[in-house]
Amino acid sequence: MMLRPNQRQKLDSSDDQQFYADSRFVTHVDDGFIQQLTDLYRDRLKPNTRIFDMMSSWVSHLPKDIEFAHIEGHGLNEEELARNPQLNHYFVQNLNENPKFPLKDQDFDAVLNTVSVQYLQYPEAVFSEIHRVLKPGGVAIVSFSNRMFFQKAIEAWREGSEASRVELVKHYFESVPGFTPPEVIARQSKAPILQWLGAGGGDPFYAVIAYRK
């Protein structure tokens, strides 16, 4: 086991689906983060490919100038997913209760996870599923900042630093045989103290990227 039982714990252990039952039509990162993420997608994703946007919501931040063959969504709030104009189809599932995707083997060219990896209690199982549904050569992109629902993030994330969280996501990929060595993109806030005080400075941007061998 990569994570100890206490490291998987959340401060709020109530039902995740109950917590996310109320729709939140907001973005959880700033415009600078979103622009960097969209630019990254534009660079790494190819037209006419199949995309799985896991733990998604009412926006996917995919570039609107690229046409994809299919975008599958997943999340915990059906109203948010139904509002997402980029999704061709979606399903609702609590990955902390059932980490197995109802998706076929090797069916997607890319799997995306945006500012949600901190909530996974069994990341080893979920990343194994990411590998399973990716086509050979397919890419997985996990992006995050320093924001979170603190009460729903696992202890290993809550108690860590920004640098240790990057290492944690790298280890998630490394726990599954068959991924390439993870690549890291790290752009820290230019004014972290101001950002911490709520006075701007820009959200830090982190992405960990790996490909199915």
Side-chain angles (χ1 to χ4, degrees), residues 200-213:
D203 287 342
F205 178 86
Y206 297 100
V208 183
I209 305 165
Y211 293 80
R212 175 170 174 153
K213 292 180 181 177

Side-chain angles (χ1 to χ4, degrees), residues 170-213:
K170 286 173 60 180
H171 289 323
Y172 292 167
F173 277 116
E174 291 164 349
S175 73
V176 181
F179 277 118
T180 59
E183 170 192 355
V184 174
I185 297 173
R187 298 166 185 152
Q188 297 176 328
S189 171
K190 295 179 181 178
I193 295 177
L194 289 177
Q195 199 226 14
W196 183 76
L197 293 172
D203 287 342
F205 178 86
Y206 297 100
V208 183
I209 305 165
Y211 293 80
R212 175 170 174 153
K213 292 180 181 177

